[in-house]
Amino acid sequence: MAALDELKRYCNARPSVVLIDSFESFDYSVTRGGFYSRIGKFFENVTLNGTRLRLPWQFNLGKAQTNSLELIQSEMNKAKVVFPVMIKTNQSTVTAESHFITVVFNLEGLREALDSYTDELIIQEFVNHDKVVYKVYAIGSHYTYYPRPSCSNIESSQDNMVGFRSDKPWPQELLSQEEPITRQLDSRVLDYCVSTLKEHAKISLFGVDILVQSGTLDYVICDLNAFPGYKEYQEVGSYIDELVKSLLDN
């Protein structure tokens, strides 16, 4: 965060520097809990063209303590969420643990998983999504999406938990021989998703991961990333030029 503070001071001292996205917009993607608490209300009871758009259920645990098991069980029961669940750090970047995720299948797995972390934690609903995650990339008024391989649908496991790094390939324990189901996403739902994030997070360059839930076909927003790689978005250069020009014109 020291580097970000230094950049803020640099830009504030030089008003001729044009910022595409404000520094405040990055706050929405730095922590998973922050994104959920600040954006979640805009995705409550949203249904478009018969498709529900939502965030996954999650509970901000903080750092694991002696009563964490009972507390998590209580919150899951209130929300009628059942195993498996996912455990992630609240911090989505920077820390060594931020990419380490566990899928937990029972109480014993929950106990083991909590012992694996020292950072503040998020407990999140596991959403079966037919082995496909949709990577949505936005640049100003333009966006596109690409389907990407993901883990298998999971109901139960012989393991108590499976840990993995989100920046590495999925572990074999979370893969099966079932074929992925790739769908064409509804443009009206994506329009609402992208425009809502732009308006309320005040962000122009971002990526968002969407899962289509198996069975219900809900669209579930599981991650927001500020200034993603855009490595397959061929029009990225011209769209960024267009965005910068619009900012300069204003």
Side-chain angles (χ1 to χ4, degrees), residues 31-34 36-37 57-63 71-72 75 88-90 120-124:
T31 65
R32 295 178 169 108
Y36 192 92
S37 63
W57 171 86
Q58 71 176 35
F59 171 57
N60 194 339
L61 176 67
K63 291 193 175 183
L71 188 56
I72 294 169
E75 293 297 323
K88 307 176 180 180
T89 62
N90 185 36
E120 294 186 354
L121 301 177
I122 295 290
I123 315 301
Q124 191 177 87

Side-chain angles (χ1 to χ4, degrees), residues 133-154:
V133 58
Y134 298 87
K135 312 287 287 189
V136 181
Y137 297 105
I139 303 172
S141 60
H142 304 279
Y143 72 83
T144 191
Y145 71 89
Y146 302 94
R148 290 290 169 267
S150 186
C151 71
S152 301
N153 291 347
I154 300 170

Side-chain angles (χ1 to χ4, degrees), residues 121-191:
L121 301 177
I122 295 290
I123 315 301
Q124 191 177 87
E125 165 193 11
F126 182 89
V127 177
N128 281 328
H129 51 282
D130 298 324
K131 296 186 76 172
V132 178
V133 58
Y134 298 87
K135 312 287 287 189
V136 181
Y137 297 105
I139 303 172
S141 60
H142 304 279
Y143 72 83
T144 191
Y145 71 89
Y146 302 94
R148 290 290 169 267
S150 186
C151 71
S152 301
N153 291 347
I154 300 170
E155 302 296 341
S156 62
S157 174
Q158 295 180 341
D159 298 305
N160 293 327
M161 57 157 276
V162 175
F164 63 98
R165 288 186 59 84
S166 60
D167 55 350
K168 303 293 182 183
W170 287 94
Q172 289 301 311
E173 296 94 326
L174 300 180
L175 296 175
S176 71
Q177 297 303 311
E178 66 185 8
E179 291 296 318
I181 300 175
T182 302
R183 298 175 171 88
Q184 183 173 345
L185 300 188
D186 189 310
S187 60
R188 184 177 173 187
V189 181
L190 290 184
D191 288 346

Side-chain angles (χ1 to χ4, degrees), residues 139 142 233-245:
I139 303 172
H142 304 279
Y233 200 171
Q234 295 183 357
E235 298 86 353
V236 60
S238 59
Y239 288 160
I240 290 180
D241 288 346
E242 180 182 319
L243 176 60
V244 171
K245 184 177 184 302

